[in-house]
Amino acid sequence: MGDLHDYDVVVIGAGISGICAAKFYLDIHPQSQLVILDKDNCVGGTWNSRRSYDSFWTQWTVGTAEFSDVPMSRPPEEDLYYEFFKAKHTTKYLEDYADRQKHAGRSLRDRIRFGVEVQSVQKHEFEWLVSIKNSTGDSTQILHTRKLIVASGLTSVPKMPILPGENNFGGPIIHQETFGSSDVLSSSHIHDIVVLGGGKSSADIVYSAVKAGKTVSWILKETDTTGPGFLFSPKGKGPYKNAFEVGMTRLAATFTPSIMNDQTWWTWFLHSSKYGIKLMSSFWASVDKATRVDANFRGRDHAKGFDKLEPHTPIFWQNGTGGLLNHADFFDIVEKHVQIHCADIESLDKGLIRLTNGEEIPAQALLCGTGWFPSLQFFNPEQCIELGLPHPRKDEPSERAAQWAQLSAAADKKVLATFPSLAQPPLHYHKPVTHTPYRLYKHIAPLPNAANPTNDRSIAFVGHICVGNYFRGVECQAMWATAYLDGSLTLPPLQEQQEEVALFTTWCRRRYLNNGEQGNWMTFELVGYTDRLLEQLGLRSHWKGWFRDWFEPCVARDLAGLREEYARKYGCEGVQSGEAKVAMT
């Protein structure tokens, strides 16, 4: 066993969530002994340099993909498409941010321990014991910490399919996670590439492979699948430069039946009245139709199976994966150069992939865009139950399961009374539900329970949400988590917390169908969610006036005054609240 080390705070993960959570905590506690742990060798998590590749673009835009205290330099025009940009610029921004943000003479990078993997975490009396192992596996250490921030994210643990005969294949079989650091596209020995998966990551890999001159086949699963994801135009409407800007307005947020919106006469009309429901149904049907027409699924040459890319469910429900297109020629490239198959993989052999429909595809490489597991593997099953993390339903104690079933039934009546349109989803594939959803209060804090009846506020989760812009989401979560860990935030009684969690998870299942089973899906809810976090904190400096608040996109600079406001309200360690600005510069 290695040496023991004591810290005030341990942050797991050096991606956007971990960097942000550590930075804000240090803003308030600059003398804190804080360490950030990451299994990789570079900053950025999903956006780090190891995972990057040329056709990897952001799904967010200039002015939104940054923290509020440091604007990102505008990328060159050749790296922009309707204000979306290549991911390498986010990578550089995070690297620079980690170098430049300093507290007590130490940068964030100075506080990161790279190449270490968390093996387990255990609560012992008033501290957490974090067991870590270095990348070589020859050294194990136990870190002691009073507070633990879990910012390990949702896209760190690859979900690889079971592939009979993979040992006979003879070529690389890699997940998107290692695609950027592989030599698959540059290798002169690899000519035929097969991509497996129907989401945005698979689409990016397909495009990259074609542009690299490879012969590409794209496999879409036939069974146990929600179908191919929506890939839609990034173009904006009216005064908005792009679709992302539209989605970052509070007005657009009201066009979806969401419990994150204030329930006003306007939202009642749109989602509870007969005429409003018809209006919204027509609106979303027009968005769906425009997206399908833009792709022209049924009007293109089907010789290579292009029509198989058409999504199975309407865009409103977000039942599968998808995203905004970053290449004007994407559909044209796929139509002309990619053979598309809809079948399952039966087996692999030397340089060959056999499908269940009898087809055989020659291949020297298989690239998988097959999704992720939440990065929670260092918690044991009992901890997942107690902390409110996803765990097998069969493992949940019967008394607890009955309690949540009762809470969910009451919540379901409320959801359907408020949003009648969610009662009748379209025919769709729904994967078997094997795990419970996330059950964190505000998606950050564990609920008090028998094992922790007083809730000692020693652990918080940041970044375990599915949203369109992580920067805004985790910046607001970091503030809330800091106040929570400090004991500065007054929480409602346990019953109210449980009812709120049950209301969200029940609504989420109704609203987002298969994706909603995770209990953390908020495709259209980012602005409403962050507004609610800041409201509970009692912070208001992000408001700009009613017209701008409703019609302008929410951008990073809107949050620029929140650190000072937070410090004035809650105090800043080592200084008077009036001196907080000086302390944090």
Side-chain angles (χ1 to χ4, degrees):
M1 190 68 67
D3 296 332
L4 302 182
H5 296 274
D6 291 324
Y7 293 96
D8 298 316
V9 182
V10 168
V11 179
I12 301 176
I16 294 175
S17 303
I19 291 297
C20 184
K23 163 66 166 53
F24 190 81
Y25 191 89
L26 288 167
D27 281 344
I28 305 305
H29 305 282
Q31 301 301 322
S32 176
Q33 292 298 314
L34 181 149
V35 65
I36 306 170
L37 309 176
D38 200 278
K39 65 180 181 180
D40 230 314
N41 58 7
C42 45
V43 172
T46 301
W47 308 94
N48 71 32
S49 56
R50 180 186 64 80
R51 293 174 62 170
S52 186
Y53 49 94
D54 190 60
S55 64
F56 184 21
W57 285 61
T58 66
Q59 293 283 283
W60 46 52
T61 56
V62 176
T64 64
E66 59 195 32
F67 298 124
S68 62
D69 56 338
V70 179
M72 187 187 79
S73 299
R74 184 176 177 81
E77 291 303 312
E78 60 267 24
D79 288 349
L80 289 168
Y81 184 61
Y82 289 96
E83 295 298 290
F84 299 91
F85 52 90
K86 288 189 174 183
K88 65 182 181 181
H89 298 286
T90 291
T91 302
K92 185 178 187 306
Y93 174 81
L94 293 172
E95 292 275 6
D96 291 345
Y97 195 86
D99 288 330
R100 294 175 183 176
Q101 300 302 313
K102 294 185 177 181
H103 302 80
R106 299 180 66 202
S107 70
L108 289 175
R109 187 182 295 276
D110 292 336
R111 299 172 185 269
I112 301 174
R113 292 187 61 176
F114 290 112
V116 296
E117 188 161 0
V118 176
Q119 301 294 300
S120 66
V121 295
Q122 293 290 336
K123 186 69 183 298
H124 179 68
E125 296 183 346
F126 301 108
E127 64 180 2
W128 288 91
L129 308 182
V130 183
S131 175
I132 62 173
K133 181 178 291 187
N134 63 22
S135 56
T136 61
D138 59 4
S139 176
T140 299
Q141 294 179 335
I142 302 294
L143 308 185
H144 290 218
T145 181
R146 282 162 283 286
K147 296 174 183 178
L148 181 63
I149 298 177
V150 182
S152 48
L154 301 172
T155 55
S156 298
V157 182
K159 183 185 293 184
M160 287 294 287
I162 297 173
L163 300 167
E166 62 181 296
N167 293 332
N168 303 324
F169 183 60
I173 302 173
I174 62 176
H175 190 272
Q176 179 208 357
E177 197 266 348
T178 53
F179 175 62
S181 57
S182 74
D183 65 350
V184 169
L185 299 187
S186 60
S187 173
S188 60
H189 302 292
I190 295 176
H191 307 287
D192 300 305
I193 286 179
V194 170
V195 179
L196 174 63
K200 180 64 166 60
S201 60
S202 296
D204 287 341
I205 294 172
V206 164
Y207 188 86
S208 296
V210 173
K211 287 293 187 178
K214 307 299 183 181
T215 299
V216 181
S217 297
W218 191 352
I219 299 177
L220 308 174
K221 288 180 64 179
E222 184 178 30
T223 62
D224 190 30
T225 178
T226 57
F230 266 99
L231 300 170
F232 48 99
S233 170
K235 298 176 184 178
K237 299 287 186 181
Y240 303 105
K241 298 176 184 176
N242 51 66
F244 190 78
E245 278 196 357
V246 177
M248 289 296 287
T249 65
R250 290 184 177 85
L251 177 62
T254 65
F255 281 32
T256 182
S258 174
I259 60 172
M260 289 298 175
N261 294 328
D262 291 332
Q263 301 306 307
T264 65
W265 70 267
W266 173 245
T267 56
W268 174 88
F269 168 71
L270 292 180
H271 305 297
S272 299
S273 73
K274 179 174 65 174
Y275 297 108
I277 291 171
K278 287 183 178 179
L279 179 65
M280 286 295 93
S281 178
S282 297
F283 168 77
W284 282 104
S286 68
V287 173
D288 187 89
K289 181 179 179 181
T291 303
R292 294 175 191 269
V293 168
D294 187 63
N296 195 16
F297 291 114
R298 301 183 184 183
R300 294 177 182 268
D301 183 357
H302 294 168
K304 291 182 176 290
F306 184 87
D307 56 312
K308 295 182 177 70
L309 287 177
E310 185 165 10
H312 296 175
T313 51
I315 195 171
F316 167 83
W317 295 95
Q318 296 288 300
N319 191 43
T321 60
L324 292 159
L325 287 171
N326 300 118
H327 310 285
D329 61 346
F330 174 81
F331 287 126
D332 294 335
I333 288 289
V334 172
E335 176 191 15
K336 295 176 183 177
H337 300 285
V338 180
Q339 184 68 51
I340 300 171
H341 307 263
C342 185
D344 298 323
I345 293 179
E346 183 176 83
S347 65
L348 275 61
D349 209 333
K350 180 67 175 177
L352 195 67
I353 297 176
R354 295 190 179 91
L355 304 183
T356 51
N357 62 5
E359 295 179 320
E360 295 185 345
I361 309 172
Q364 288 90 47
L366 174 60
L367 311 181
C368 301
T370 46
W372 311 85
F373 294 108
S375 184
L376 301 169
Q377 67 279 6
F378 35 82
F379 291 106
N380 64 42
E382 291 75 19
Q383 289 174 316
C384 288
I385 293 172
E386 295 301 329
L387 293 171
L389 303 176
H391 56 272
R393 288 181 178 271
K394 62 180 179 61
D395 294 344
E396 187 155 52
S398 57
E399 184 178 342
R400 187 188 296 260
Q403 179 190 25
W404 280 109
Q406 184 177 9
L407 287 165
S408 296
D412 197 47
K413 292 180 180 178
K414 184 174 182 179
V415 169
L416 296 183
T418 309
F419 307 118
S421 62
L422 299 185
Q424 296 179 328
L427 290 175
H428 66 282
Y429 176 75
H430 208 106
K431 294 184 178 181
V433 180
T434 59
H435 283 64
T436 63
Y438 277 89
R439 291 172 179 155
L440 300 171
Y441 181 63
K442 298 299 183 186
H443 306 280
I444 300 172
L447 297 171
N449 54 58
N452 184 20
T454 60
N455 192 356
D456 61 5
R457 301 196 184 192
S458 62
I459 183 171
F461 295 79
V462 175
H464 285 259
I465 50 175
C466 295
V467 294
N469 181 357
Y470 270 88
F471 281 93
R472 183 183 181 90
V474 301
E475 188 160 358
C476 293
Q477 281 194 326
M479 296 180 212
W480 197 97
T482 298
Y484 168 79
L485 291 171
D486 287 346
S488 303
L489 194 60
T490 301
L491 302 183
L494 172 60
Q495 181 70 18
E496 289 185 28
Q497 293 184 50
Q498 291 174 328
E499 289 174 354
E500 182 175 323
V501 170
L503 181 63
F504 183 89
T505 55
T506 301
W507 165 84
C508 200
R509 286 194 298 270
R510 286 283 188 181
R511 174 64 184 86
Y512 292 117
L513 306 180
N514 185 75
N515 284 328
E517 295 288 355
Q518 300 174 53
N520 61 350
W521 205 270
M522 292 187 273
T523 302
F524 301 110
E525 281 68 40
L526 172 64
V527 175
Y529 171 61
T530 53
D531 281 351
R532 292 200 171 200
L533 290 180
L534 297 177
E535 180 183 14
Q536 191 170 23
L537 288 169
L539 305 179
R540 294 196 53 82
S541 61
H542 58 297
W543 295 104
K544 301 176 285 188
W546 77 267
F547 184 86
R548 296 177 64 196
D549 287 335
W550 267 77
F551 295 98
E552 282 189 4
C554 294
V555 294
R557 64 176 177 271
D558 296 343
L559 308 181
L562 289 173
R563 285 190 306 151
E564 283 188 58
E565 186 183 4
Y566 181 102
R568 288 194 301 270
K569 184 176 181 65
Y570 295 104
C572 182
E573 189 175 278
V575 298
Q576 299 299 314
S577 60
E579 300 169 336
K581 183 176 181 179
V582 176
M584 293 189 293
T585 56

